[in-house]
Amino acid sequence: MFNASEMPPKTTIQPVLEALASANTLPQIPIITSVTCCFVLAVLYVGSLYVWSTKHNRDHPSTIKRRFASVSVVMLFSPFFVWYFSSPELLSEESFAKLLGFRWHGLWQAVVIPYGLTMLLFMGPIFVNCQNESIGSYFDLDYWRGCLHNIIWVRNHVMAPLSEEFVFRACMMPLILQSFTPMTAVFITPLFFGVAHLHHIAERLSLGVELSTALLIGLFQFIYTTLFGFYSAFLFARTGHIVAPFLVHAFCNHMGLPDLQDLWQQELWRRVLAIVLYIVGLAGWILLLPLATNPSLYGNTLYWNV
């Protein structure tokens, strides 16, 4: 017969529960500290793009090279915010490189799985692009040499994803995650990322674009970049690797927004197949997202414990 006296007293269970709860949270810092740091980092990043006085547009080689230099300086100073304002307890427990998403454990998974997951999402646009471009060009060394010598390509596919993910993910997320839960942090940091892209409105106005058009494009870009920021921040928090959002960012920059006009210009059977692939890709991405980003796949026990 069951003896109630054999049940362990609550006083012995409570410390265990508290220990488990504390093990699943990072040491905390004030919300005002983390949010202010992120705001300053966003201002520094955008401000560095305009520190130069130039008469050329954003795509001129001299403008791009100067911006490369200025955002590189911001990248050098950004980790200081994480090191100085993070909880001393956290810094004593974890390596600084790990906080920024640089570690070996789970590296190949962080390179392959999120990239493949994002390709699934873009399955429809990839199919349409294959109808217009030869897929063999991606296996041509001359193609890649041409890309590497094209400074606009380097900006869009290397420097922009690298600098933005390092500042807005590797340096902001560790701070925000010390003040909020992982899911809340995923929804906060992209707002800084989206606002940081509003400066393109001023650039369009300088090119003679009407104010209403520039504002409309700017609003659309804010929504798009914020949505991507959610995904990128989610990848960082779930995988604990900066390489995952960096590669996904570069891929998304390469693909751009789906060209619906090009889709409707395809032959009927190709159009129908592309639409099916759009739907299947989106549905597959939604279903596989929690599985493909399971922190246990990447050995991530720091930012998103499960």
Side-chain angles (χ1 to χ4, degrees):
M1 189 174 187
F2 178 74
N3 188 353
S5 63
E6 295 178 358
M7 292 181 61
K10 293 184 178 180
T11 54
T12 62
I13 297 177
Q14 190 63 28
V16 175
L17 295 177
E18 291 177 355
L20 289 174
S22 63
N24 289 327
T25 58
L26 292 177
Q28 298 293 289
I29 60 175
I31 292 177
I32 187 66
T33 300
S34 59
V35 172
T36 301
C37 286
C38 292
F39 175 78
V40 172
L41 284 171
V43 170
L44 287 175
Y45 186 91
V46 176
S48 71
L49 302 177
Y50 296 95
V51 71
W52 306 100
S53 176
T54 177
K55 60 182 179 180
H56 303 296
N57 62 34
R58 65 187 300 267
D59 291 331
H60 192 276
S62 66
T63 302
I64 295 176
K65 291 176 182 177
R66 289 178 176 181
R67 290 185 171 184
F68 280 5
S70 56
V71 297
S72 296
V73 173
V74 175
M75 290 175 65
L76 288 174
F77 280 98
S78 295
F80 170 80
F81 286 82
V82 182
W83 175 79
Y84 188 81
F85 292 102
S86 289
S87 166
E89 180 184 354
L90 179 62
L91 293 175
S92 64
E93 293 175 355
E94 303 290 349
S95 69
F96 188 64
K98 184 178 180 181
L99 294 181
L100 301 180
F102 295 97
R103 57 191 181 88
W104 291 109
H105 192 190
L107 179 60
W108 76 265
Q109 294 94 325
V111 170
V112 175
I113 298 176
Y115 198 87
L117 182 67
T118 309
M119 289 185 68
L120 174 64
L121 175 63
F122 279 84
M123 190 159 57
I126 290 174
F127 172 77
V128 174
N129 287 352
C130 288
Q131 309 308 306
N132 304 326
E133 302 175 7
S134 172
I135 195 171
S137 62
Y138 294 108
F139 301 95
D140 186 356
L141 289 178
D142 290 334
Y143 168 81
W144 292 107
R145 289 193 189 99
C147 290
L148 293 175
H149 285 88
N150 184 335
I151 195 168
I152 295 179
W153 187 93
V154 173
R155 178 195 64 190
N156 295 341
H157 294 81
V158 181
M159 196 61 187
L162 177 63
S163 60
E164 290 178 358
E165 294 306 319
F166 184 77
V167 174
F168 289 88
R169 245 64 71 181
C171 295
M172 287 191 186
M173 285 291 286
L175 292 167
I176 290 294
L177 284 163
Q178 292 178 69
S179 299
F180 300 92
T181 63
M183 186 57 73
T184 304
V186 164
F187 280 92
I188 290 177
T189 53
L191 299 177
F192 295 101
F193 184 66
V195 171
H197 285 76
L198 292 180
H199 67 94
H200 292 303
I201 295 177
E203 292 182 341
R204 294 188 181 92
L205 291 175
S206 66
L207 295 175
V209 178
E210 292 184 1
L211 177 60
S212 58
T213 302
L215 290 175
L216 183 61
I217 296 175
L219 176 62
F220 177 78
Q221 188 170 26
F222 170 77
I223 295 173
Y224 173 73
T225 53
T226 301
L227 288 175
F228 171 78
F230 292 149
Y231 181 40
S232 184
F234 184 80
L235 289 178
F236 180 84
R238 295 278 284 183
T239 67
H241 283 277
I242 188 59
V243 67
F246 163 65
L247 292 177
V248 167
H249 192 154
F251 175 77
C252 289
N253 279 5
H254 173 72
M255 293 300 301
L257 291 173
D259 190 342
L260 298 181
Q261 182 178 0
D262 192 16
L263 171 64
W264 289 107
Q265 290 176 350
Q266 301 292 322
E267 295 180 15
L268 179 60
W269 73 269
R270 287 195 177 97
R271 190 189 316 159
V272 172
L273 179 57
I275 293 174
V276 171
L277 292 176
Y278 267 84
I279 297 172
V280 171
L282 177 60
W285 178 81
I286 294 173
L287 291 174
L288 293 177
L289 180 62
L291 299 176
T293 60
N294 191 319
S296 62
L297 292 174
Y298 310 92
N300 178 25
T301 59
L302 176 60
Y303 287 136
W304 202 304
N305 295 320
V306 292

